[in-house]
Amino acid sequence: MLDKSIIERFKNIVGEKNVETSSMSLHSYSYDATPGFRKTPDIVIAPHNTEEIAEIVKICNDHKIPLTPRGSGTNLSAGTTPLKGGVVLLFKLLNNILEIDDQNLTVTVQPGVVTKSLIEKVEAKGLLYPPDPSSMNISTIGGNINENSGGLRGLKYGVTRDYVLGLTIVLPNGDIIKTGGKLAKDVAGYDLTRLFVGSEGTLGIITEAILKLVPMPEYKKTMLATYEDIDDAAKTVSAIIENRIIPATLEFLDQPTVEVVEEYNQIGLPTDAKAILLIEQDGPESVVNKDIDKIAEICKELHAVTVSVAKNEQEATALTTARRSALSTIARLRPTTFLEDATVPRSQVAPMVKEINRIAEKYNVKICTFGHAGDGNLHPTVPTDVRDKEEYHRVEQAFAEIFEKAVELGGTITGEHGVGAMKAPFLKLKLGEEGVRALKNIKQSFDPNNIMNPGKMFFEDDEKGE
Amino acid sequence: MLDKSIIERFKNIVGEKNVETSSMSLHSYSYDATPGFRKTPDIVIAPHNTEEIAEIVKICNDHKIPLTPRGSGTNLSAGTTPLKGGVVLLFKLLNNILEIDDQNLTVTVQPGVVTKSLIEKVEAKGLLYPPDPSSMNISTIGGNINENSGGLRGLKYGVTRDYVLGLTIVLPNGDIIKTGGKLAKDVAGYDLTRLFVGSEGTLGIITEAILKLVPMPEYKKTMLATYEDIDDAAKTVSAIIENRIIPATLEFLDQPTVEVVEEYNQIGLPTDAKAILLIEQDGPESVVNKDIDKIAEICKELHAVTVSVAKNEQEATALTTARRSALSTIARLRPTTFLEDATVPRSQVAPMVKEINRIAEKYNVKICTFGHAGDGNLHPTVPTDVRDKEEYHRVEQAFAEIFEKAVELGGTITGEHGVGAMKAPFLKLKLGEEGVRALKNIKQSFDPNNIMNPGKMFFEDDEKGE
């Protein structure tokens, strides 16, 4: 419980109507999109600007009050669950696109801007902001930056990190710093910009960002290949790249996933196929046509049962929308859905999918696997019920083994979702004790009082909240 | 002076012949490519592998012996001058390309590999490693990573940072950590990989790197446009980008630069032109032709006096080689050459060039300006003589004012050369006291004994050595 005088100080900073303390409000911010984690915060505050945030942060730092920044809470690592209580900081009043700069190909945004709306605004000017996490209809740019979000276009275009040029940051001591700028090159000191991208709100509060844009590709084509054998699909992924083609999107869906996606979307996906590849290429028309023809050839050589190119934009959108709906459709099967993102080198996709299937059988859990095959970023997804303790335990064991296997195959415990509270116990699998120690030292150097999103990234106890 | 017993311990680790203590050897490593800085180290050591480096680092840490890692010493920020003495660590025995991975499009290298030789090796496999600093014929990949080197292809392809996927690092406490991997996506903890890229050897020793490759573009065209008016050249740069074309290379040379480059290279550059743009596009043939045609059109619209496309590979190479020779040819004019890399947003190239010319006049110094106009990364270069104290003082004042102006225009004090000892006094211009404090805290968290390349990045005293 916060002292009344502190609540008054917060109200004086942001105005009474931007402070919420009712139990209903607090409950709404006690969890995020990640199942199994919940903790009621003490207060929810929506500041107007960087200066107000600096004042709030100073109070929190002085009184060692935990502070969890939160965009739309769509993350899948319990990254925005306020596990230690305290303040939840909202960005709903910081949701403006401040400038689209045609000459420097940049957009300057506040963190509360919804990803999709940013993408649409810049597309209207013939520009592309590539990072497109599946949650982009509701996720915010601030959340994307804090989690270093990926998406379907990551293979060709990279992830959020590759598009952040500059940040305004409030540090835990209340200092306001500006990093980078509208600059393609800047080596003045350590790369604070990229250190903050993906830092999960544990080092400071991002209050403004300069993002890089690229020219909108003139043309796009979408195709689908179906396989009787998962191995052939995985081999196709490698073969495309070995042929020096980098598609914009190269997605994989296994049979269990296709079944539920088709049941919900009804767009004619072949539910009997063991695996589907959804492939998209963009660029100049002649190049796209040449690439898609070559890809179709490769698919056929590697025993694809069917290879079909979307006839028009509508058909293409139906396909990618179906893929984007994978999580939400699987979520309809059971009360709880765990979605992971163990990631391996592209060449290890086939062995990893096999391991996932073996592990599913070993622990007797249903695992639907889909994901960004082109960059080895798989999403093994388990429909379950957290209230069934025995089954839940098996699910946890299965995931632990999946993480171990991913690292064994040269991969990582998380490709795009972040560590959060969810994967904190597994961080040392990837980085070793020495690596985790180095990260903890960085955390300590920025936030000695551990007020910034505590309980995330670093495993302290098996804290899942209330 | 190092204790004899410590020298013995170093000899035991790497073998007697890989330790140098003769005054001639020590003298060779007392300076780098940056004029005005010199300090004799106590010992020069060439280890064979990561484990030996960890042993050396532990000894240095225990005894607080300064340690400066050094590739070829081509940096221009005094980044490898051993300003506090101690150990210079060489990578000449760690110079192997360990693996080119066709499926994952990666190359795994030791830090001592020469940049050009890496580029040639991967090109032979139809792959491109884009970062191409002007010093690439002799610079090493380890140096490139520590400085986050740029180059002529930065506009389209980005800088070294964008191609580093994973690192093996010896931390100042002797811990060995591995970051990243052959992974397009990895968000397991803070981005240690990018924190180390550009950290100038101040946080640890990089002993191995996994680099990203891209497919080799199938076709390339090079062109030259000359201008009577610098403003028109700068406007052309902006107009090309506004037309949604991102050339591979977009270089600017002013008249004083063209004069000296032509005198040395004799390739027919028009020495009467006030400015020259050297433009290169690569990609599929049809796209390159279309882009180059459109760029030629834009150049003419903006009053280019001549626009000519290189007729063949030979002519194209002559042009880019001439550009790459700018520094070395200017260096022939006077005993000392200072080359800076103040960088501004692309839209500010014209105002910045004007400011540079104004400042040259104000302090009565000759400044040749050339550089990567497409990414706003300019190289104002001053041929001078450090022995002429009065002139040298004016040069220093001129550069200080150039840095101030660059930051004022939304730019930075260094785009690709690094801070080193040279620009340490100016770091707070860009980052503010608060930003520099944050960087110092990071440094302190990794290297509490300040053994790693001390005297760099952070301004302590006006230390230029002996």
Side-chain angles (χ1 to χ4, degrees):
Chain A
M1 277 292 286
L2 290 183
D3 194 277
K4 269 193 186 151
S5 70
I6 287 179
I7 295 177
E8 278 311 304
R9 288 175 70 189
F10 288 140
K11 284 181 180 170
N12 286 337
I13 295 168
V14 299
E16 183 143 7
K17 72 176 193 300
N18 298 312
V19 170
E20 297 176 44
T21 51
S22 75
S23 62
M24 209 172 72
S25 288
L26 298 181
H27 177 74
S28 310
Y29 297 104
S30 66
Y31 56 90
D32 58 27
T34 323
F37 295 82
R38 198 170 72 79
K39 170 82 182 180
T40 307
D42 296 308
I43 192 167
V44 177
I45 308 177
H48 296 86
N49 52 47
T50 302
E51 292 68 31
E52 286 185 5
I53 293 174
E55 286 188 63
I56 293 165
V57 167
K58 274 183 209 155
I59 294 172
C60 289
N61 200 33
D62 287 348
H63 297 273
K64 298 194 172 52
I65 300 165
L67 206 165
T68 302
R70 179 188 173 108
S72 299
T74 53
N75 78 85
L76 297 164
S77 56
T80 48
T81 305
L83 280 177
K84 309 289 180 188
V87 176
V88 166
L89 204 70
L90 300 184
F91 295 89
K92 60 183 181 181
L93 305 178
L94 280 156
N95 64 348
N96 294 303
I97 296 176
L98 301 175
E99 183 201 27
I100 299 175
D101 182 335
D102 257 282
Q103 284 199 305
N104 294 304
L105 299 192
T106 59
V107 57
T108 305
V109 293
Q110 294 183 316
V113 171
V114 168
T115 314
K116 183 73 177 293
S117 101
L118 168 73
I119 289 176
E120 287 173 351
K121 285 271 169 42
V122 302
E123 280 189 355
K125 292 202 159 213
L127 294 166
L128 181 69
Y129 176 72
D132 59 343
S134 289
S135 56
M136 68 182 190
N137 285 345
I138 35 172
S139 72
T140 65
I141 286 294
N144 293 172
I145 294 171
N146 275 300
E147 300 291 336
N148 188 13
S149 299
L152 274 65
R153 297 192 281 224
L155 170 58
K156 182 173 187 172
Y157 289 101
V159 295
T160 300
R161 179 188 61 228
D162 302 307
Y163 295 87
V164 183
L165 296 178
L167 293 172
T168 303
I169 302 165
V170 176
L171 296 178
N173 63 1
D175 279 353
I176 298 169
I177 61 171
K178 278 178 186 285
T179 72
K182 292 178 179 177
L183 299 166
K185 289 173 173 173
D186 177 19
V187 291
Y190 305 136
D191 195 342
L192 281 181
T193 308
R194 275 96 201 164
L195 180 62
F196 271 83
V197 176
S199 64
E200 307 186 359
T202 63
L203 298 179
I205 313 274
I206 292 163
T207 64
E208 199 174 298
I210 301 171
L211 307 173
K212 173 181 158 178
L213 302 172
V214 294
M216 189 75 182
E218 67 181 43
Y219 190 70
K220 189 163 78 174
K221 245 182 179 173
T222 308
M223 63 181 282
L224 202 71
T226 65
Y227 293 83
E228 265 313 295
D229 185 335
I230 289 180
D231 245 16
D232 287 333
K235 276 182 198 154
T236 301
V237 171
S238 287
I240 292 169
I241 310 288
E242 278 182 291
N243 272 274
R244 308 288 184 252
I245 300 173
I246 311 286
T249 293
L250 184 35
E251 296 285 309
F252 167 90
L253 293 86
D254 72 355
Q255 188 175 29
T257 309
V258 174
E259 263 177 25
V260 287
V261 167
E262 176 57 20
E263 195 185 333
Y264 177 62
N265 289 279
Q266 301 278 342
I267 57 162
L269 294 177
T271 52
D272 54 340
K274 280 283 181 295
I276 282 185
L277 291 180
L278 171 69
I279 306 163
E280 207 161 73
Q281 182 59 305
D282 61 13
E285 189 168 345
S286 60
V287 178
V288 171
N289 285 330
K290 198 177 135 201
D291 283 355
I292 290 286
D293 287 352
K294 181 70 193 170
I295 293 170
E297 200 182 289
I298 294 168
C299 292
K300 282 172 200 156
E301 268 169 29
L302 286 160
H303 320 298
V305 183
T306 65
V307 178
S308 55
V309 177
K311 284 178 202 71
N312 48 45
E313 175 99 28
Q314 205 183 344
E315 214 178 291
T317 307
L319 286 174
T320 51
T321 306
R323 158 59 188 90
R324 283 185 195 282
S325 76
L327 170 59
S328 53
T329 50
I330 294 170
R332 296 169 160 250
L333 296 179
R334 301 277 307 271
T336 317
T337 312
F338 284 100
L339 179 144
E340 271 312 334
D341 76 328
T343 300
V344 289
R346 182 185 303 129
S347 60
Q348 302 297 327
V349 166
M352 189 66 216
V353 169
K354 267 187 221 160
E355 284 296 335
I356 291 172
N357 291 340
R358 184 190 60 76
I359 290 165
E361 211 163 301
K362 176 174 172 187
Y363 294 102
N364 186 28
V365 292
K366 183 186 178 75
I367 304 187
C368 302
T369 298
F370 59 95
H372 320 297
D375 42 43
N377 182 200
L378 296 171
H379 294 308
T381 303
V382 177
T384 180
D385 187 341
V386 282
R387 293 165 302 187
D388 181 338
K389 298 265 183 260
E390 186 276 327
E391 182 179 324
Y392 183 34
H393 182 61
R394 281 185 282 119
V395 172
E396 288 190 309
Q397 286 179 301
F399 275 124
E401 197 162 328
I402 286 172
F403 295 144
E404 267 171 47
K405 275 292 156 195
V407 172
E408 226 177 277
L409 292 169
T412 184
I413 58 166
T414 172
E416 57 180 11
H417 293 168
V419 178
M422 184 97 175
K423 269 161 288 185
F426 303 99
L427 187 61
K428 69 167 188 287
L429 265 184
K430 171 73 180 99
L431 294 174
E433 300 280 1
E434 297 85 354
V436 174
R437 190 153 59 220
L439 296 197
K440 276 187 179 163
N441 286 341
I442 294 173
K443 165 76 174 172
Q444 173 77 13
S445 83
F446 278 90
D447 184 19
N449 294 325
N450 194 24
I451 60 160
M452 291 301 314
N453 207 5
K456 310 304 157 57
M457 197 167 306
F458 305 108
F459 184 60
E460 294 162 3
D461 40 48
D462 212 353
E463 174 76 272
K464 293 184 179 178
E466 287 148 6
Chain B
M1 278 291 286
L2 290 184
D3 195 276
K4 270 194 185 149
S5 70
I6 287 181
I7 295 176
E8 278 312 305
R9 288 175 69 191
F10 288 141
K11 285 181 179 169
N12 286 337
I13 295 168
V14 300
E16 183 142 5
K17 70 176 196 292
N18 298 311
V19 170
E20 298 176 41
T21 50
S22 75
S23 62
M24 206 173 73
S25 288
L26 297 181
H27 177 76
S28 311
Y29 297 104
S30 65
Y31 56 91
D32 57 29
T34 322
F37 295 82
R38 198 170 72 81
K39 169 83 183 179
T40 307
D42 297 307
I43 191 168
V44 177
I45 308 176
H48 296 85
N49 52 45
T50 302
E51 291 68 31
E52 287 184 5
I53 293 174
E55 285 186 66
I56 294 164
V57 167
K58 273 182 210 155
I59 293 172
C60 290
N61 200 34
D62 287 348
H63 297 272
K64 299 195 172 50
I65 301 166
L67 206 165
T68 301
R70 178 186 173 110
S72 299
T74 53
N75 78 86
L76 297 164
S77 55
T80 48
T81 307
L83 280 178
K84 310 288 180 189
V87 176
V88 165
L89 204 69
L90 300 183
F91 295 89
K92 60 183 182 182
L93 305 179
L94 280 154
N95 64 349
N96 295 302
I97 295 176
L98 302 174
E99 184 201 27
I100 299 176
D101 181 336
D102 256 282
Q103 284 200 303
N104 294 305
L105 298 193
T106 59
V107 56
T108 305
V109 295
Q110 292 184 318
V113 172
V114 169
T115 314
K116 183 75 178 293
S117 101
L118 169 74
I119 289 176
E120 287 173 351
K121 284 274 169 42
V122 302
E123 279 187 357
K125 292 203 158 210
L127 294 167
L128 181 70
Y129 176 72
D132 59 343
S134 288
S135 57
M136 67 183 190
N137 285 346
I138 36 172
S139 72
T140 64
I141 286 293
N144 293 173
I145 295 172
N146 275 300
E147 300 292 338
N148 188 13
S149 299
L152 273 67
R153 296 191 280 224
L155 171 59
K156 182 173 187 171
Y157 289 101
V159 295
T160 301
R161 178 189 61 227
D162 303 307
Y163 295 87
V164 183
L165 295 178
L167 294 171
T168 303
I169 302 165
V170 175
L171 295 178
N173 63 2
D175 279 353
I176 298 168
I177 61 171
K178 279 179 185 284
T179 72
K182 293 179 180 176
L183 298 165
K185 291 174 172 172
D186 177 18
V187 291
Y190 306 136
D191 195 343
L192 282 180
T193 308
R194 274 98 202 163
L195 179 63
F196 271 82
V197 176
S199 64
E200 306 185 2
T202 63
L203 298 180
I205 313 273
I206 292 163
T207 64
E208 199 175 300
I210 301 171
L211 307 173
K212 174 182 156 177
L213 302 171
V214 296
M216 188 76 180
E218 68 180 44
Y219 190 71
K220 189 163 76 172
K221 245 183 179 171
T222 307
M223 62 181 282
L224 202 71
T226 66
Y227 294 83
E228 265 314 295
D229 184 337
I230 289 180
D231 245 16
D232 287 334
K235 276 182 197 152
T236 302
V237 172
S238 286
I240 292 169
I241 311 289
E242 279 181 291
N243 272 275
R244 310 285 185 257
I245 300 173
I246 310 285
T249 292
L250 184 36
E251 296 286 308
F252 168 90
L253 293 87
D254 72 357
Q255 189 175 29
T257 309
V258 174
E259 264 176 26
V260 287
V261 167
E262 176 57 21
E263 195 185 332
Y264 178 63
N265 289 279
Q266 302 278 341
I267 58 162
L269 293 178
T271 52
D272 55 339
K274 282 282 180 296
I276 281 185
L277 291 181
L278 171 68
I279 306 163
E280 207 161 73
Q281 183 58 307
D282 62 12
E285 188 169 345
S286 60
V287 177
V288 171
N289 286 328
K290 198 177 134 199
D291 283 355
I292 290 286
D293 288 350
K294 180 71 194 170
I295 292 171
E297 200 183 291
I298 294 169
C299 293
K300 283 173 200 157
E301 269 169 27
L302 287 161
H303 320 298
V305 183
T306 64
V307 178
S308 55
V309 177
K311 284 178 201 68
N312 49 44
E313 176 99 27
Q314 205 183 343
E315 212 178 292
T317 307
L319 286 173
T320 51
T321 306
R323 158 59 188 92
R324 283 185 194 280
S325 76
L327 170 59
S328 53
T329 51
I330 294 171
R332 295 168 161 252
L333 296 180
R334 301 275 308 272
T336 317
T337 312
F338 284 100
L339 179 142
E340 271 311 333
D341 75 328
T343 301
V344 290
R346 182 185 303 130
S347 61
Q348 303 297 325
V349 166
M352 189 66 217
V353 170
K354 268 187 220 161
E355 285 295 334
I356 291 170
N357 292 340
R358 184 189 61 74
I359 291 165
E361 212 163 300
K362 176 174 171 185
Y363 294 102
N364 186 27
V365 293
K366 182 186 178 77
I367 304 187
C368 302
T369 298
F370 59 95
H372 321 295
D375 44 43
N377 182 198
L378 296 171
H379 294 310
T381 302
V382 177
T384 180
D385 186 343
V386 282
R387 293 165 302 187
D388 181 337
K389 296 267 184 257
E390 186 276 326
E391 182 179 326
Y392 183 35
H393 182 60
R394 280 185 283 117
V395 173
E396 287 190 310
Q397 285 178 302
F399 274 125
E401 197 162 328
I402 287 172
F403 295 144
E404 266 171 47
K405 275 293 156 193
V407 172
E408 227 177 277
L409 292 169
T412 184
I413 58 167
T414 172
E416 56 181 11
H417 293 169
V419 178
M422 183 100 175
K423 269 160 289 185
F426 303 100
L427 187 61
K428 69 168 187 288
L429 266 183
K430 171 72 180 104
L431 294 175
E433 300 280 0
E434 298 85 354
V436 174
R437 192 155 58 221
L439 294 197
K440 276 188 178 162
N441 286 341
I442 294 173
K443 165 76 173 171
Q444 172 77 13
S445 83
F446 277 90
D447 183 20
N449 293 325
N450 193 25
I451 60 159
M452 291 301 315
N453 206 4
K456 312 302 159 60
M457 197 168 306
F458 305 109
F459 184 61
E460 292 161 5
D461 40 47
D462 211 355
E463 174 76 273
K464 294 185 179 178
E466 287 148 6

